[in-house]
Amino acid sequence: MTQTIRFQLDGMTCASCVARAERVLSAQDGVTAAHVNLGTESAEVSFDAPASAEGMAAALARAGYPVRQRQVILAVEGMTCASCTGRVERVLRAQPGVAEATANLVTRAATVTLWGDTDAGTLAQAVTRAGFQAAPMAESGGHDPKAEEARLWRDAAIASALTLPVFVAEMGGHLVPGFHHWLHGLIATQSLWLAEFLLVTLVLIWPGARFFRKGIPALFRAAPDMNSLVALGAGAAWGWSALVTFAPGLIPSASRAVYFEAAAVIVTLILFGRSLEARARGRAGAAIARLVALQPKTALRLAPAPQEVPIAALVAGDRVQVRPGERVPVDGIVIEGQSALDESMLTGEPLPVAKGPGDGLTGGTVNGTGGLVMEVRAVGAATVLSRIIAMVAEAQGGKLPVQALVDRITLWFVPVVMKRNRYWPRTSQNGET
């Protein structure tokens, strides 16, 4: 199948460069057409296997025309386990022009490195077709992690309240001898099973519905995830128990046992686990939010006339007034004035640090009782505070090598378990299912 990809190239200076880049691309096995444009510094290539974007980029780099890479970040909702992150990564890597893709379960985001000019919206659509909700980070619609955590804790509490009577009724005899005899003397077995059926059905169709809404469609897409495993496990236990309750004649007498408590406990424990996970994600996001809050929104620029402006409007060389008690807006040096600054956000040192003309100032630190005039030296992503925020976000979104190994293992865990338990079709040696 013929694919087309567009590269942005560096090092293009003349028509000779165009000709050479086209020759390099055309020499790659599988390339059917290559057109290089000097004006846009781009190359459009049509290719089939065995040609690949990585191979063409490497060949261009050796020829002196390296391909520019860029990163886009997608907000991805619906990921619940390592199988989900692995599937998102596979979908993204299969898109033309994608060099690398990493999905992170904690931050609910996917970082994509692109060879070409593939549109972020196209990537988001591909992920959405795979069963997730994706959008470029700037268009993600303001997902509220606190509301998600509250919903999970609420569902976990409801599931626990409904599950506890069923669990006690079925398992209490293992803790208290004679409990089962007392309970069955008080309530007929059939009545007890009917009550358990009602309680567990509520668990599955109310707080547990999320597993079926996501797990069953994933199963039909031949891409089972942890939701599929929970839905099938809980559904199978509930279905067997309902059959024993309402049609016992279809079951041999020796096998007439109900497993309502298993279905309910599975859902309840997974909900508690996801609630704790949501809390951890919320704390991770709160750490970044607290850092962002250290940077003021505006600054008093002195030239050409004193004016309060957004810090995004500041450029290197501007002179800014820092009044007593204010936070320093961006990085710079003191031009006029004397004061002592609280730099504990940066150093952890509680004692103020004296500042005078020529001393450096860091954005986010707090001015003391003196007024200062500073000259801006760094703005935007170049400030110390912005770099700290970026490093924290990268650390929270990155994966340790051992975590990558775990992800690779758990990626296949669900399909293997389902295949092993006949929930997933087996494939014979001749390829028949």
Side-chain angles (χ1 to χ4, degrees):
M1 180 180 175
T2 301
Q3 302 180 57
T4 300
I5 187 172
R6 182 188 295 271
F7 294 117
Q8 294 295 321
L9 306 181
D10 284 328
M12 304 278 295
T13 58
C14 61
S16 176
C17 297
V18 171
R20 186 181 180 195
E22 287 182 346
R23 286 198 303 272
V24 167
L25 290 169
S26 298
Q28 303 302 304
D29 192 15
V31 172
T32 57
H35 302 285
V36 179
N37 188 305
L38 179 61
T40 60
E41 296 184 317
S42 65
E44 187 170 318
V45 189
S46 299
F47 65 97
D48 294 309
S52 66
E54 293 82 358
M56 290 184 284
L60 286 167
R62 289 193 297 269
Y65 309 111
V67 175
R68 297 176 198 158
Q69 290 187 348
R70 64 188 182 94
Q71 279 193 341
V72 298
I73 300 178
L74 304 178
V76 183
E77 292 300 322
M79 297 188 297
T80 56
C81 62
S83 290
C84 298
T85 58
R87 190 166 303 110
V88 169
E89 290 173 356
R90 288 203 307 276
V91 168
L92 289 170
R93 288 168 184 162
Q95 304 307 305
V98 173
E100 184 55 54
T102 304
N104 190 280
L105 183 62
V106 174
T107 59
R108 293 293 197 267
T111 303
V112 189
T113 303
L114 300 172
W115 292 117
D117 58 357
T118 304
D119 180 55
T122 302
L123 298 176
Q125 289 172 8
V127 175
T128 301
R129 286 195 298 270
F132 304 91
Q133 296 82 47
M137 187 61 79
E139 306 169 10
S140 59
H143 169 69
D144 187 356
K146 290 184 177 180
E148 179 190 9
E149 181 184 349
R151 285 193 298 270
L152 282 166
W153 281 115
R154 181 202 63 198
D155 288 351
I158 293 170
S160 299
L162 295 170
T163 298
L164 184 60
V166 179
F167 181 80
V168 171
E170 289 297 324
M171 308 303 289
H174 296 284
L175 298 176
V176 180
F179 176 79
H180 275 169
H181 296 290
W182 172 82
L183 183 62
H184 287 285
L186 187 66
I187 305 173
T189 299
Q190 186 67 18
S191 300
L192 182 62
W193 287 356
L194 284 171
E196 292 179 4
F197 169 80
L198 291 174
L199 290 172
V200 175
T201 300
L202 284 174
V203 172
L204 298 187
I205 66 174
W206 190 359
R210 65 180 68 232
F211 300 110
F212 294 87
R213 283 197 303 266
K214 295 179 180 180
I216 300 304
L219 194 61
F220 285 121
R221 289 193 303 269
D225 57 11
M226 194 62 70
N227 292 303
S228 306
L229 198 60
V230 174
L232 285 175
W238 176 88
W240 172 267
S241 302
L243 187 63
V244 171
T245 301
F246 295 104
L250 300 177
I251 309 297
S253 58
S255 301
R256 291 174 191 167
V258 296
Y259 302 97
F260 286 122
E261 84 288 350
V265 168
I266 288 171
V267 169
T268 301
L269 291 180
I270 298 295
L271 283 172
F272 266 113
R274 292 193 178 173
S275 300
L276 293 171
E277 179 190 353
R279 174 178 291 180
R281 288 200 307 272
R283 289 179 177 176
I288 296 177
R290 285 194 295 270
L291 287 172
V292 172
L294 294 176
Q295 191 169 48
K297 304 298 182 185
T298 61
L300 180 60
R301 186 170 60 189
L302 298 180
Q307 182 182 10
E308 198 83 20
V309 299
I311 62 168
L314 297 176
V315 296
D318 282 348
R319 293 200 170 193
V320 173
Q321 176 77 51
V322 184
R323 290 162 289 199
E326 286 186 336
R327 287 190 180 273
V328 177
V330 290
D331 295 356
I333 61 171
V334 178
I335 301 300
E336 300 176 12
Q338 300 277 345
S339 188
L341 272 74
D342 178 359
E343 296 186 335
S344 58
M345 56 79 63
L346 186 66
T347 64
E349 173 59 52
L351 296 178
V353 179
K355 298 287 182 178
D359 291 333
L361 297 176
T362 303
T365 55
V366 182
N367 187 21
T369 57
L372 298 174
V373 175
M374 64 174 288
E375 181 181 309
V376 175
R377 290 295 176 90
V379 296
T383 64
V384 171
L385 181 58
S386 294
R387 293 201 300 271
I388 292 173
I389 294 171
M391 289 172 64
V392 171
E394 182 180 354
Q396 291 177 344
K399 293 184 180 181
L400 296 172
V402 67
Q403 184 180 353
L405 174 62
V406 171
D407 286 351
R408 286 197 297 273
I409 293 171
T410 53
L411 173 61
W412 297 103
F413 173 76
V414 174
V416 168
V417 169
M418 294 175 66
K419 189 180 181 81
R420 185 75 174 172
N421 289 278
R422 299 182 182 274
Y423 291 135
W424 195 246
R426 293 177 179 268
T427 303
S428 62
Q429 293 182 350
N430 61 11
E432 297 177 353
T433 299

